Amino acid sequence: MNEINAARRLRVAALEKAEANKVTLVKAAEAEAESKYLQGQGLARQRQAIVAGLRDSVTDFGTKVTDITSKEVMELLLITQYFDMLRDVGGSNKNSTLFLPHSPAGITDVSSQIRNAFLQGNAASTGMAGQAQAPPNQGLMPNQV
């Protein structure tokens, strides 16, 4: 009888230990999910602050210097950010290799690439908005519509 009771207690103890491990894993996963959520919020706020700062810079520069367009101011700011990125990447000891086409004559090319990326992103988001409003074809193939 003592062996039966001992086996029963071992079984209950094993179940309780497994349940404790489960609770520990669930709580760790919940904490990680909350951490990722808060990191995402922080990143979104950082990007909003950057956009607000850029907007203020363009506005201030445009009002103080009259013979330059807002497009040129934006290009200047983008190139400044590009150089800041180069400085930050070069100053970090965690990076091993980074290949970037870079030359003094290529700055205009970098500016146009950044501008084109923004234009393509805007076109893609506009196209996605148009697709969201299109009526569904209810599973029909394009030649059956």
Side-chain angles (χ1 to χ4, degrees):
M1 192 68 166
N2 284 337
E3 291 177 10
I4 294 173
N5 287 336
R8 187 176 301 137
R9 280 181 289 202
L10 288 174
R11 189 175 37 236
V12 169
L15 288 174
E16 288 179 4
K17 184 177 181 180
E19 187 66 27
N21 286 339
K22 175 184 169 186
V23 169
T24 302
L25 290 173
V26 167
K27 290 297 180 181
E30 288 174 354
E32 184 177 354
E34 181 71 15
S35 171
K36 298 290 183 189
Y37 173 75
L38 292 173
Q39 287 175 359
Q41 282 187 332
L43 186 59
R45 288 183 185 143
Q46 178 186 14
R47 289 180 178 164
Q48 287 174 346
I50 289 170
V51 168
L54 286 173
R55 181 179 50 242
D56 293 344
S57 295
V58 169
T59 303
D60 290 346
F61 198 86
T63 57
K64 294 177 182 173
V65 180
T66 58
D67 58 344
I68 190 168
T69 66
S70 61
K71 177 186 168 195
E72 292 170 333
V73 172
M74 197 62 186
E75 286 179 1
L76 177 65
L77 291 172
L78 288 174
I79 290 171
T80 303
Q81 285 188 330
Y82 175 76
F83 284 130
D84 289 344
M85 180 271 307
L86 286 177
R87 182 194 63 229
D88 292 343
V89 167
S92 174
N93 60 358
K94 295 179 182 179
N95 299 322
S96 57
T97 305
L98 181 65
F99 293 103
L100 290 172
H102 184 76
S103 69
I107 298 301
T108 304
D109 188 43
V110 169
S111 172
S112 66
Q113 287 175 4
I114 293 171
R115 186 176 53 254
N116 288 339
F118 279 120
L119 293 175
Q120 288 174 359
N122 287 338
S125 65
T126 304
M128 297 285 278
Q131 287 178 351
Q133 297 172 356
N137 61 9
Q138 301 184 6
L140 298 176
M141 298 300 290
N143 59 357
Q144 296 175 331
V145 176

